[in-house]
Amino acid sequence: MSKPNKARFKLSAVKASYAEAVGGELVEVETDDGKLFTFPHPLFTPDALAKEIDAAEGDEARARILLGDQWSEFIKSGGDSNGLMLVYVAARSEMQDTLTKHRPTKR
């Protein structure tokens, strides 16, 4: 039996709550020709990928890491590294706003 007023969170419930608050675990980017590309939402970026992004130099290197195998198709569809990084920055900024306002589900 748990103690009254004890803070206890179920990990899966918290993750699901934040995923819902930020619109999902992936960020979707649509190019002008209508093709859709995705990368992990900054809140859900795996540690190894986050370290790669942080260590990369320049927008193109970071964008290539974010999109991985999708990079070539993204470029063919008219995408560019600067535009993708603007989307990434926007997702991070929106995430910060969400984190200050959101109260996760405990169970």
Side-chain angles (χ1 to χ4, degrees), residues 21-107:
V22 298
E25 293 184 37
L26 296 175
V27 174
E28 295 181 344
V29 180
E30 184 178 345
T31 52
D32 289 340
D33 65 358
K35 292 190 179 164
L36 193 63
F37 301 89
T38 61
F39 61 85
H41 190 284
L43 189 59
F44 299 103
T45 302
D47 290 342
L49 184 62
K51 286 178 185 177
E52 278 187 68
I53 293 166
D54 290 344
E57 293 187 27
D59 284 349
E60 184 175 341
R62 289 182 190 96
R64 285 177 178 268
I65 292 166
L66 274 174
L67 288 183
D69 294 341
Q70 304 171 87
W71 176 251
S72 294
E73 279 300 311
F74 179 71
I75 295 300
K76 287 178 190 174
S77 291
D80 64 85
S81 56
N82 184 259
L84 185 69
M85 294 315 298
L86 288 173
V87 171
Y88 183 75
V89 168
R92 287 181 64 107
S93 177
E94 186 178 271
M95 173 189 75
Q96 292 299 325
D97 290 343
T98 300
L99 290 175
T100 60
K101 298 173 187 169
H102 183 69
R103 297 294 173 247
T105 304
K106 287 189 176 185
R107 296 186 190 268

